[in-house]
Amino acid sequence: MELLSPAGNVDKLRYCYTYGADAAYIGLKNFSLRVKADNFYEDEYKKVAELKRQFPGRRLHCALNISFHNSEIDRLISDIPYFKQYPIDAFIVQDLGIVPILQKHFPNAELHLSTQASCMNREAVKMYRSLGFSRVVMGREASLEEVAEIKNAVPDMEIECFVHGAMCIAYAGRCLMSAYLNGRSAQEGFCSHTCRWEYEALIDRKEVPGSVWNGSPYSKEARALAQSGALALKETTRPDEYFPVYEGDNFTALLSSKDLCMIDHLADLKKAGVDSLKIEGRMKSIYYVALITRAYRKALDALENKISEEDARPFVDELYKVSHRPYGTGFYYNKAEADITVSGASESPWELAGELICSLSEAEADDVFAKARELQAKREAEYNAMVPAAQKAFDERVRNQKDRYLPPLDRREGWHLYRMNPLNMINEESELEAVTPDTVSIAMNAENTCFANPVTGETYRWVCNGHPCVLYSKLSLPDGTLVRVKSTQNR
């Protein structure tokens, strides 16, 4: 089975491939259902093409899955020369109007039907196959039993299923709630995730017909209350906005659903004939994308007997170290599981502190240490030129202003220099770990790691985003290593 991961920008695409994805899906500006993701534009096709060269055999899928208005069709056609610069293997679409356009201009690219099309039966799959689609991304309402029936009926059609991430409470993600409440249409990529806001249920009891509500969800009073129009929602951060609620004959899950997690059921997905496992999350962080992709990679490797289940389990357990809502299995086994709504999310015990870009070359490392020696020599010369009283005063300033007088970096046998992009605050009290594609985590401390300024050769007592930084470590770390810091609220 293919592992398909989300890439909201070029950096995330690199981590998708680095942490084990067979394929990644991206969006292009103006034509993706995740317009708040960075998406891809301008000359980023050059970086994407380079990544495809660095990771041969990996695939790139492009989501053009909005519902198109006429003006957007015109813009799509005008942007085709730009799209052709990307090494796209497949387009993910829901609007059939753009199918002949893509078939004409991208004859070698596959067509994948978006989950937004709500394809959930064998006859629909046959129809899409006749139109030239090679893969269907199943609507999330399909059960595993239905997936198996479809694969048996249309064995030459690839089946892709979401296996992890946030699920929209609407039918296959086709939601009007965001458009209704604040004019941002989910079908045009502007979803504000209104289903996940934190609401309070309000009631004017004087407007409730019949007897007083006794709290029983199945009582006549409760049904009368729900259908009366007297209920309203208030989002906690919008105290002056009230949204009316009306409950019909059938139950409607109004708020946020559980996050999907099928990592313990990959064998069932394989048995059902699923060809591709899709992770949701183009708007998620690099840390999320890397750890979730790595967990499913190891679980798949265990399923295919490339590693043992015991070796895979520590990586799978890392799923719980990223922020998430309670996990569930969606509609795959029973509808009741999918109907459960939840509020809030579990916070991660870790935060992403930085990313290692690459190892410094020998010449680059020599340059950093040369600057450190120059700094040391300059300081010694200035210190030796002082009279004893001035030296004493200087020593006192150094003790009291440690951030101003940072020691130069010393070369150590067996240590390595890495170019690093710091993303969050790291200081001497930070509890740090290195995360790599094939190592769950490695403790980093003063005994094996320090941070330095490559411009001056000084070591840092603390570092944060925007600081030029190299990591100097006794650890041998591959490119793509992430550095995480224990969240202050979990210390």
Side-chain angles (χ1 to χ4, degrees):
M1 289 186 289
E2 173 189 81
L3 178 59
L4 177 60
S5 291
N9 57 35
V10 170
D11 280 343
K12 293 175 187 177
L13 179 61
R14 178 162 65 94
Y15 283 101
C16 286
Y17 291 153
T18 299
Y19 279 75
D22 300 303
Y25 60 103
I26 67 173
L28 297 177
K29 285 292 186 184
N30 301 317
F31 301 107
S32 164
L33 284 180
R34 293 294 180 269
V35 294
K36 290 182 70 178
D38 292 342
N39 289 318
F40 292 74
Y41 58 98
E42 295 179 352
D43 64 348
E44 290 188 330
Y45 61 87
K46 298 177 182 177
K47 298 177 182 177
V48 174
E50 177 58 30
L51 282 172
K52 290 269 304 237
R53 284 191 289 270
Q54 291 178 22
F55 295 91
R58 309 297 175 91
R59 289 169 54 83
L60 182 70
H61 302 176
C62 177
L64 297 178
N65 54 349
I66 67 168
S67 296
F68 285 78
H69 290 279
N70 288 330
S71 60
E72 290 162 334
I73 289 282
D74 294 337
R75 190 165 69 246
L76 171 66
I77 293 172
S78 66
D79 284 348
I80 282 174
Y82 170 70
F83 288 173
K84 286 185 175 181
Q85 298 177 99
Y86 282 85
I88 295 170
D89 297 297
F91 288 101
I92 307 168
V93 303
Q94 67 154 319
D95 193 325
L96 294 182
I98 69 170
V99 168
I101 297 172
L102 295 177
Q103 289 173 325
K104 175 183 177 181
H105 294 283
F106 301 91
N108 296 321
E110 297 175 5
L111 285 177
H112 294 178
L113 184 72
S114 171
T115 188
Q116 301 294 121
S118 301
C119 183
M120 293 181 296
N121 66 74
R122 61 181 180 272
E123 300 307 318
V125 171
K126 292 175 184 177
M127 186 273 291
Y128 285 115
R129 181 187 58 182
S130 71
L131 294 177
F133 286 86
S134 63
R135 178 181 294 188
V136 167
V137 187
M138 299 301 300
R140 77 178 187 98
E141 298 79 16
S143 68
L144 274 182
E145 181 179 357
E146 290 172 318
V147 171
E149 290 172 352
I150 290 170
K151 187 65 175 180
N152 289 334
V154 198
D156 55 340
M157 178 67 89
E158 292 183 353
I159 301 295
E160 179 177 305
C161 289
F162 278 96
V163 294
H164 196 94
M167 293 192 296
C168 182
I169 206 67
Y171 198 81
R174 294 185 295 173
C175 180
L176 291 176
M177 190 174 182
S178 176
Y180 172 66
L181 294 184
N182 58 16
R184 290 172 50 179
S185 171
Q187 289 306 289
E188 296 179 10
F190 289 93
C191 184
S192 58
H193 302 288
T194 49
C195 63
R196 297 186 179 97
W197 295 352
E198 294 183 2
Y199 295 94
E200 297 175 6
L202 305 178
I203 178 175
D204 182 350
R205 292 183 180 273
K206 291 182 294 183
E207 297 182 13
V208 180
S211 58
V212 177
W213 180 35
N214 64 15
S216 170
Y218 302 108
S219 68
K220 293 181 180 179
E221 292 84 357
R223 182 173 295 278
L225 172 62
Q227 295 180 346
S228 69
L231 286 176
L233 289 177
K234 182 182 75 173
E235 211 276 331
T236 55
T237 60
R238 296 167 173 80
D240 297 322
E241 293 184 34
Y242 302 91
F243 307 124
V245 175
Y246 178 79
E247 182 68 55
D249 291 335
N250 296 319
F251 173 77
T252 300
L254 182 61
L255 302 179
S256 178
S257 60
K258 287 183 175 182
D259 279 0
L260 180 64
C261 180
M262 288 290 288
I263 200 162
D264 293 326
H265 307 280
L266 300 187
D268 289 347
L269 288 157
K270 183 176 183 179
K271 183 179 179 181
V274 175
D275 298 284
S276 180
L277 308 178
K278 190 170 193 173
I279 298 170
E280 182 275 338
R282 274 186 289 147
M283 292 171 61
K284 298 289 190 179
S285 68
I286 285 172
Y287 180 69
Y288 179 96
V289 169
L291 263 67
I292 301 300
T293 297
R294 185 183 67 170
Y296 276 85
R297 176 76 275 151
K298 298 302 181 184
L300 272 174
D301 288 348
L303 181 65
E304 297 167 358
N305 297 315
K306 295 179 181 178
I307 62 174
S308 69
E309 291 187 10
E310 183 180 359
D311 288 337
R313 179 48 55 182
F315 295 96
V316 173
D317 290 342
E318 290 287 306
L319 290 177
Y320 298 92
K321 295 183 181 179
V322 297
S323 179
H324 65 277
R325 292 178 179 82
Y327 286 138
T329 55
F331 286 84
Y332 286 124
Y333 295 103
N334 62 77
K335 185 177 181 296
E337 170 70 13
D339 279 343
I340 299 172
T341 58
V342 295
S343 174
S346 66
E347 295 301 324
S348 171
W350 297 92
E351 297 174 355
L352 182 60
E355 51 183 334
L356 266 60
I357 307 302
C358 62
S359 299
L360 266 64
S361 67
E362 186 175 345
E364 291 171 327
D366 288 343
D367 181 61
V368 174
F369 288 114
K371 291 173 180 175
R373 290 193 298 272
E374 291 172 7
L375 177 65
Q376 180 69 20
K378 179 181 178 182
R379 287 180 176 176
E380 288 179 354
E382 292 175 347
Y383 186 82
N384 292 333
M386 298 177 186
V387 298
Q391 289 179 342
K392 183 177 180 180
F394 179 80
D395 291 340
E396 183 66 20
R397 287 199 301 274
V398 170
R399 284 191 293 270
N400 295 331
Q401 302 178 38
K402 293 181 180 180
D403 286 338
R404 182 175 178 182
Y405 300 99
L406 298 170
L409 187 66
D410 290 326
R411 190 185 289 269
R412 306 181 191 181
E413 186 68 27
W415 284 51
H416 316 275
L417 269 175
Y418 305 94
R419 192 172 309 283
M420 178 175 165
N421 178 26
L423 301 172
N424 272 317
M425 171 67 73
I426 301 173
N427 57 38
E428 294 172 330
E429 298 179 354
S430 297
E431 186 177 341
L432 301 174
E433 288 186 350
V435 173
T436 81
D438 294 306
T439 305
V440 175
S441 62
I442 309 170
M444 305 173 72
N445 51 51
E447 300 300 319
N448 61 23
T449 300
C450 70
F451 301 92
N453 186 334
V455 178
T456 65
E458 296 172 294
T459 58
Y460 283 123
R461 293 185 65 244
W462 61 270
V463 64
C464 64
N465 184 248
H467 288 193
C469 183
V470 290
L471 182 148
Y472 193 38
S473 181
K474 191 176 182 178
L475 305 173
S476 181
L477 302 170
D479 292 352
T481 294
L482 296 176
V483 177
R484 66 185 183 187
V485 58
K486 181 63 74 71
S487 174
T488 54
Q489 64 185 14
N490 291 290
R491 288 181 190 167

